[in-house]
Amino acid sequence: MDNGDIESGEEEFHGQRGRKYRPVEAHDRAVLEMSSMDPGSSSSSSSVPPIRHPSLKKVKVGSQTGTEKEGNSPTRIDVNGPQRESKLEFFGFDSLVNILGLKSMMGEQIQAPSSPRDGENVSMTQGLPKTNEVKSGTLMGVFIPCLQNILGIIYYIRFSWIVGMAGIGESLVLVAFCGLCTFLTSISLSAIATNGAMKGGGPYYLIGRALGPEVGVSIGLCFFLGNAVAGALYVLGAVETFLNAVPAAGIFRETVTKVNGTTVEPIQSPSSHDLQVYGIIVTILLCFIVFGGVKMINRVAPAFLIPVLFSVLCIFLGVFLAGKNDPTEGVTGLSLESFKENWSSDYQMTNSAGIPDPLGKVYWNFNALVGLFFPAVTGIMAGSNRSASLKDTQRSIPIGTLAATLTTTVMYLVSVLLFGALATRKKLLTDRLLTATVAWPFPAIIYVGIILSTLGAALQSLTGAPRLLAAIANDDILPILNYFKVADGSEPYFATLFTAFLCIGCVIIGNLDLITPTVTMFFLLCYAGVNLSCFLLDLLDAPSWRPRWRFHHWSLSLLGASLCVVIMFLISWSFTIVSLALASLIYYYVCLRGKAGDWGDGFKSAYFQLALRSLRSLGASQVHPKNWYPIPLIFCRPWGKLPENVPCHPKLADFANCMKKKGRGMSIFVSILDGDYHERVEDGKAACKQLATYIDYKRCEGVAEIVVAPTMSEGFRGIVQTMGLGNLKPNIVVMRYPEIWRRENLIEIPATFVGIINDCIDANKAVVIVKGLDEWPNEFQRQYGTIDLYWIVRDGGLMLLLSQLLLTKESFESCKIQVFCIAEEDSDAEGLKADVKKFLYDLRMQAEVIVITIKSWDTQVEGGQQDESMEAFTAAQGRIASYLSEMKETAESRGTTLMADGKPVSVNEQQVEKFLNTTLKLNSTILRYSRMAAVVLVSLPPPPVNHPAYFYMEYLDLLVENVPRLLIVRGYRRDVVTLFT
């Protein structure tokens, strides 16, 4: 209820109804704790909204710039510039084809709407200004980057050795196994990429939008680290190859010795300092190319790739030209004998350089070869990493990635057959650069190919990694990454600089043997994330899942993800655990420090479908008491006015949390705005947002709902009928007791209050009314004493359940429960006490049982409570007699029957006196036994039929008089606890 509206006459002021009661002041103790909330979250700076005609709606564009002034006719602004407009309109107002709506779906920045209503609820992105950027096609944007990343140093210096160790048969299995993993990942990548427009970030963008921001950021940062460190690996490989080919270029000299039998041979090898110096220089040069932007990279990339492809051609020519009489020892040419000899595997011990040595410390098997070879097939994400620089992501990414994957896989398979038939096994295992030995016309071409292939791969890593980091920063999930944000279409210079420093740091370390397996794990983790994203989207099959890639099925994605996990554990289970632990730490950090982002991810869709299936499985039948949970409907602001920045009484959220066990359950916070729906719809949206912010501030699990209705009674009646769905409808209505009604002489409140109680009874809702809400303890205020239950009428065990829920909270865990059973004097008190004890024992509830017998017609009270209770009793009698006499005078003057609250009533004065006496007795009993109780729970009597609402409020006032903290509880026609297991 907005500011506690009551049906109080027809007077209106600035579109709001007049109020006749004293508001709760901002300095009241009950609302002081809310002073720390941002006052800007208030729905408006003034409690009185301006008058406006329904046709004059406010237009919200971006950050509300360029809004129209009220009272002026809206200015029409053409989207495509000032031109004569002619469009087909529906009923003379709405255009059937609205270019504004189409552009907003594409996320484009658009101008102000052409009319006030055209601009309603249109999401318009107001991002950073776009700059003109060179866009790449399939060849230069995807195929060449992927080919450069995949075709690397392993093919030149390790592939022939792998064939010699594993044999032709197992080498074919190895290549097919690793190639199948990347091929399935490419298919999954293609399916997601063709499901809609794709922004920058590549695999991070796809994973984050499918699996949620937490998973996306954790895998995205790991993939960024993998690309940055991989750049350092490629640089070191290029420098080491260069120093081996040109030893004179070394600045430092480092000599190692090799023991060959009884002979000691000195061997010159590149110094670690040379690797560091040249590595830093090469990294800086590559970064200058990256700083030049996509245009510069596209110009330089062919210069790196063409010599590499030429060197591969020279290798194949050398293989076919090598004959049986080749002067090189061990090279037999393409020979069937060599093919048969090398078909089977020959795993053996080697030294650290891979040379067979019976005394070596490294034993090779298929699992180890998977870890060695798999980096040769990574790099399939190089094109998608540059998704922001592509002209058409939906076309370029599938074609370019799959073409590069298939091209390199076929080349590897053919190379296995050729190398296996080219040389003896000894030659394959001892000649590390067999590709250079057989290359035609001279071996130097291979050195050039190795250097340029590694530099090309390093260039693509240094190009993709900064764009990946900038995409993560632009999503504004982690505030710590705000330094790396860039405008749409701009180059990520700061992210590139950070990547360069990270790469240089790894180059300075030099020895990356411990980091290299983790880098491979990061790539595999990313591939598994892409496959799982596609699997989840395919399995859910949401209406928005419409990929253009038609050759896909969820089983392929599941197989691809499984292969990634298998390969991770085949390579090293310890490094797998390390990479998963790092990703988990980032995930946990994002959950703690990250900002919420709703991208419509697959998990949200899965939760939604699970909720729908669960709701259908519950059906329409009543939930069994063993599975019953309270779903309170919190009536936020009745019976008083709160400050504008307090959308709900602060203690109501504390009480709502007390109705949950270990945080399970859900609360629905409802407020009612008085007025016309069309006029106050925007106020309702602002109030709903403010109320949701309040719920988050109070750390209360629940949802906010705002209802606009002409009166409070009509609004509540609509809420109690329609709120919720199936068995997830709220089952308990919670509100504060209207203590101000008599103090402020608000005679309109009783009719509204009684109407709400009757509505709850008719709708079969339980009711909990909190008296003394301002004094309700928060989670840090520990209470002592007892929780007293006055069990007057059968309520299905709701009071017992509420008392047990209170004991689970820290503030009430030191209290004990007392159950007071109110019985007539002629009843069997001892038998009733025994039955209640047995009942509580079967319910596993610890409580002391006290049976009190009273006579409803006896006005004598006991103890020191006589004066307090009798004084309240006498005052209530006088007010009821005065009200009754006024009713009789009005009826006599009009010649009608007794009327109250706009309907006829019948008053039995003897019955009224009996109700007052019974209430007096209960009040005196409560004051006698429970004056010092932490909280008192008492049954809520139903409103008597045909009695004025004023009388019922007097009964309740007498019942709760002088009780500081009390819950008035009414159950509904069902049990909420059960004896059975």
Side-chain angles (χ1 to χ4, degrees):
M1 171 93 187
D2 181 39
N3 302 332
D5 252 350
I6 308 297
E7 300 176 56
S8 56
E10 302 300 328
E11 180 183 357
E12 294 189 2
F13 178 70
H14 286 283
Q16 284 187 314
R17 297 180 182 270
R19 296 174 175 82
K20 300 181 180 179
Y21 49 85
R22 181 185 64 84
V24 179
E25 301 296 338
H27 59 267
D28 286 356
R29 179 170 60 178
V31 298
L32 286 179
E33 62 177 282
M34 294 297 295
S35 60
S36 61
M37 288 188 66
D38 183 12
S41 64
S42 178
S43 59
S44 62
S45 59
S46 173
S47 61
V48 182
I51 299 176
R52 56 180 181 270
H53 192 272
S55 63
L56 295 179
K57 300 292 183 180
K58 290 184 293 185
V59 182
K60 298 184 178 181
V61 182
S63 59
Q64 297 182 357
T65 59
T67 57
E68 301 170 3
K69 297 181 179 180
E70 294 186 5
N72 295 337
S73 60
T75 302
R76 181 171 298 275
I77 302 175
D78 292 330
V79 177
N80 297 322
Q83 59 183 355
R84 188 173 181 180
E85 184 179 18
S86 175
K87 60 183 181 180
L88 184 63
E89 294 184 336
F90 190 52
F91 293 140
F93 190 83
D94 292 322
S95 63
L96 296 182
V97 180
N98 192 343
I99 192 67
L100 185 66
L102 294 177
K103 290 200 171 187
S104 68
M105 290 170 59
M106 295 185 292
E108 296 183 12
Q109 188 176 4
I110 51 183
Q111 300 183 20
S114 57
S115 68
R117 185 162 296 181
D118 286 345
E120 284 186 21
N121 301 327
V122 178
S123 174
M124 300 184 186
T125 58
Q126 184 175 1
L128 297 170
K130 295 184 179 181
T131 59
N132 294 327
E133 184 193 10
V134 178
K135 297 290 186 177
S136 304
T138 303
L139 181 64
M140 299 303 301
V142 181
F143 180 74
I144 288 180
C146 289
L147 201 63
Q148 283 185 313
N149 258 29
I150 296 173
L151 192 59
I153 192 173
I154 292 179
Y155 177 77
Y156 291 99
I157 67 175
R158 278 296 202 184
F159 196 70
S160 59
W161 181 90
I162 291 174
V163 175
M165 186 68 70
I168 298 175
E170 292 192 16
S171 296
L172 292 174
V173 174
L174 175 64
V175 173
F177 181 63
C178 296
L180 179 63
C181 177
T182 56
F183 179 72
L184 293 177
T185 304
S186 300
I187 292 180
S188 299
L189 177 68
S190 302
I192 305 177
T194 58
N195 189 50
M198 181 177 171
K199 296 183 180 180
Y204 155 74
Y205 181 86
L206 301 179
I207 296 173
R209 268 57 181 180
L211 301 182
E214 296 85 1
V215 178
V217 171
S218 58
I219 295 181
L221 288 178
C222 289
F223 192 55
F224 161 75
L225 292 175
N227 276 278
V229 178
L233 292 175
Y234 296 138
V235 168
L236 288 175
V239 172
E240 184 176 358
T241 303
F242 171 73
L243 293 176
N244 284 329
V246 188
I251 303 173
F252 305 92
R253 291 291 182 268
E254 184 174 304
T255 304
V256 296
T257 58
K258 174 186 175 182
V259 179
N260 186 11
T262 58
T263 308
V264 178
E265 301 177 1
I267 300 177
Q268 298 290 334
S269 68
S271 170
S272 59
H273 299 298
D274 287 336
L275 294 176
Q276 294 169 348
V277 171
Y278 281 101
I280 293 173
I281 295 174
V282 171
T283 303
I284 293 175
L285 293 176
L286 292 177
C287 287
F288 275 117
I289 298 176
V290 176
F291 270 111
V294 176
K295 187 175 182 180
M296 176 68 72
I297 296 171
N298 289 343
R299 289 179 178 177
V300 174
F304 286 98
L305 182 62
I306 292 175
V308 173
L309 297 178
F310 181 72
S311 65
V312 173
L313 177 62
C314 292
I315 292 174
F316 281 101
L317 289 175
V319 169
F320 285 107
L321 294 176
K324 296 183 179 180
N325 299 324
D326 194 284
T328 306
E329 182 180 0
V331 176
T332 62
L334 295 178
S335 169
L336 184 60
E337 290 78 10
S338 300
F339 187 88
K340 294 180 180 179
E341 177 191 353
N342 296 326
W343 176 259
S344 59
S345 61
D346 186 15
Y347 298 112
Q348 51 189 293
M349 302 293 295
T350 68
N351 56 23
S352 58
I355 304 301
D357 187 353
L359 302 178
K361 298 181 180 180
V362 182
Y363 177 74
W364 293 91
N365 53 22
F366 185 81
N367 295 358
L369 291 183
V370 171
L372 177 64
F373 174 73
F374 191 80
V377 297
T378 59
I380 59 175
M381 300 294 179
S384 60
N385 285 344
R386 303 164 59 177
S387 56
S389 303
L390 298 177
K391 294 179 182 177
D392 185 358
T393 56
Q394 298 189 45
R395 181 178 183 275
S396 298
I397 290 179
I399 296 176
T401 304
L402 287 171
T405 303
L406 292 175
T407 299
T408 52
T409 302
V410 170
M411 189 192 75
Y412 288 148
L413 291 173
V414 173
S415 298
V416 169
L417 299 175
L418 295 179
F419 288 152
L422 178 66
T424 62
R425 188 181 298 273
K426 181 180 179 181
K427 184 65 175 178
L428 293 174
L429 294 176
T430 55
D431 192 348
R432 190 172 184 179
L433 278 171
L434 179 63
T435 52
T437 302
V438 301
W440 182 89
F442 40 80
I445 296 177
I446 304 305
Y447 287 101
V448 175
I450 294 174
I451 294 172
L452 293 181
S453 67
T454 50
L455 289 180
L459 178 64
Q460 298 303 330
S461 295
L462 293 176
T463 301
R467 284 161 173 76
L468 181 61
L469 183 60
I472 299 175
N474 283 345
D475 280 336
D476 201 22
I477 300 298
L478 284 180
I480 196 174
L481 301 178
N482 287 342
Y483 299 103
F484 304 110
K485 286 184 177 180
V486 296
D488 292 341
S490 300
E491 291 294 328
Y493 295 116
F494 195 69
T496 303
L497 190 63
F498 177 75
T499 306
F501 278 115
L502 189 63
C503 186
I504 289 174
C506 295
V507 168
I508 292 175
I509 294 174
N511 185 7
L512 299 178
D513 292 339
L514 295 178
I515 303 177
T516 304
T518 308
V519 173
T520 304
M521 297 302 173
F522 287 157
F523 281 98
L524 282 166
L525 194 63
C526 179
Y527 297 166
V530 171
N531 283 296
L532 287 177
S533 300
C534 192
F535 167 72
L536 182 63
L537 294 174
D538 247 344
L539 197 63
L540 295 174
D541 197 19
S544 61
W545 177 243
R546 301 185 303 275
R548 287 194 174 95
W549 189 258
R550 298 298 182 185
F551 306 101
H552 192 267
H553 192 262
W554 63 265
S555 58
L556 298 179
S557 299
L558 184 61
L559 178 60
S562 303
L563 287 177
C564 292
V565 175
V566 170
I567 292 175
M568 290 175 71
F569 281 96
L570 283 178
I571 294 174
S572 173
W573 64 267
S574 58
F575 282 104
T576 300
I577 294 176
V578 169
S579 59
L580 292 176
L582 179 59
S584 301
L585 287 176
I586 299 175
Y587 177 89
Y588 185 68
Y589 179 78
V590 174
C591 292
L592 289 180
R593 301 293 184 182
K595 298 180 181 179
D598 187 6
W599 296 337
D601 54 84
F603 281 142
K604 296 282 176 56
S605 179
Y607 296 153
F608 182 76
Q609 292 197 20
L610 181 61
L612 291 180
R613 292 186 180 182
S614 301
L615 187 62
R616 289 197 301 268
S617 66
L618 289 175
S621 59
Q622 290 187 350
V623 178
H624 194 276
K626 287 191 294 184
N627 302 324
W628 189 89
Y629 284 91
I631 305 178
L633 179 70
I634 312 297
F635 206 15
C636 291
R637 303 182 65 168
W639 333 126
K641 176 178 171 61
L642 295 174
E644 284 298 324
N645 66 330
V646 185
C648 176
H649 195 290
K651 297 295 184 177
L652 275 176
D654 295 331
F655 179 73
N657 283 330
C658 290
M659 300 180 70
K660 301 175 184 177
K661 185 177 182 180
K662 298 180 180 179
R664 291 193 294 265
M666 181 184 67
S667 302
I668 303 176
F669 289 79
V670 175
S671 187
I672 301 175
L673 297 184
D674 63 306
D676 182 74
Y677 173 74
H678 296 289
E679 294 180 0
R680 303 209 62 186
V681 61
E682 293 299 329
D683 296 335
K685 293 177 182 178
C688 187
K689 183 177 180 180
Q690 185 185 21
L691 184 56
T693 303
Y694 164 80
I695 296 172
D696 294 336
Y697 167 79
K698 294 295 291 184
R699 293 181 297 176
C700 185
E701 292 185 0
V703 295
E705 294 289 346
I706 300 294
V707 175
V708 180
T711 64
M712 177 179 176
S713 298
E714 294 182 20
F716 181 82
R717 193 167 293 120
I719 290 172
V720 79
Q721 292 182 77
T722 60
M723 190 65 66
L725 185 65
N727 274 318
L728 292 183
K729 289 184 177 180
N731 45 36
I732 302 177
V733 176
V734 179
M735 58 184 170
R736 69 180 302 187
Y737 185 75
E739 301 172 54
I740 68 170
W741 84 273
R742 185 152 46 88
R743 182 177 69 237
E744 302 294 332
N745 193 27
L746 300 177
I747 60 174
E748 302 87 2
I749 284 184
T752 305
F753 181 79
V754 172
I756 289 176
I757 299 299
N758 286 326
D759 289 341
C760 293
I761 294 174
D762 293 340
N764 197 24
K765 306 290 185 186
V767 182
V768 176
I769 303 173
V770 187
K771 193 256 182 182
L773 185 62
D774 295 345
E775 305 299 327
W776 190 264
N778 58 34
E779 56 182 329
F780 306 108
Q781 296 173 328
R782 185 174 293 274
Q783 303 296 303
Y784 300 93
T786 59
I787 299 176
D788 293 349
L789 281 64
Y790 285 84
W791 204 354
I792 303 174
V793 296
R794 182 179 181 274
D795 63 351
L798 181 58
M799 277 203 300
L800 290 173
L801 182 62
L802 289 178
S803 64
Q804 295 296 319
L805 293 176
L806 289 176
L807 288 181
T808 62
K809 304 302 175 182
E810 293 184 4
S811 53
F812 291 100
E813 63 182 2
S814 300
C815 298
K816 296 181 180 179
I817 297 178
Q818 293 184 146
V819 178
F820 293 85
C821 297
I822 309 300
E824 291 285 348
E825 189 176 37
D826 56 354
S827 63
D828 183 6
E830 292 300 324
L832 178 61
K833 183 176 182 178
D835 290 343
V836 173
K837 280 189 173 181
K838 178 66 168 57
F839 180 69
L840 295 177
Y841 174 79
D842 291 337
L843 288 175
R844 294 91 63 202
M845 294 182 180
Q846 298 290 335
E848 182 182 356
V849 180
I850 302 172
V851 177
I852 299 176
T853 58
I854 64 172
K855 291 181 179 179
S856 60
W857 59 88
D858 186 7
T859 60
Q860 298 297 320
V861 296
E862 302 175 0
Q865 291 77 31
Q866 181 174 1
D867 294 337
E868 294 175 314
S869 298
M870 284 303 298
E871 181 181 352
F873 174 78
T874 304
Q877 275 185 322
R879 287 189 296 269
I880 288 178
S882 176
Y883 189 86
L884 182 59
S885 64
E886 291 180 4
M887 290 172 54
K888 290 180 179 179
E889 292 177 1
T890 303
E892 290 177 359
S893 64
R894 296 180 179 178
T896 60
T897 59
L898 291 179
M899 299 288 294
D901 310 321
K903 60 183 179 181
V905 295
S906 61
V907 178
N908 186 333
E909 296 186 25
Q910 185 178 0
Q911 190 180 40
V912 171
E913 191 70 17
K914 183 179 180 180
F915 287 164
L916 285 173
N917 289 336
T918 303
T919 308
L920 168 65
K921 220 23 191 172
L922 290 173
N923 178 258
S924 63
T925 302
I926 293 173
L927 293 179
R928 179 182 180 185
Y929 292 100
S930 305
R931 181 180 288 272
M932 303 303 294
V935 63
V936 176
L937 287 80
V938 64
S939 298
L940 173 68
V945 181
N946 295 328
H947 275 225
Y950 185 90
F951 288 8
Y952 182 69
M953 289 302 301
E954 289 289 353
Y955 304 153
L956 286 185
D957 276 356
L958 181 57
L959 176 65
V960 303
E961 187 71 26
N962 297 318
V963 183
R965 191 184 296 156
L966 183 139
L967 301 180
I968 311 174
V969 181
R970 177 171 181 81
Y972 54 113
R973 296 183 293 271
R974 58 161 305 171
D975 293 330
V976 298
V977 293
T978 180
L979 303 177
F980 303 101
T981 184

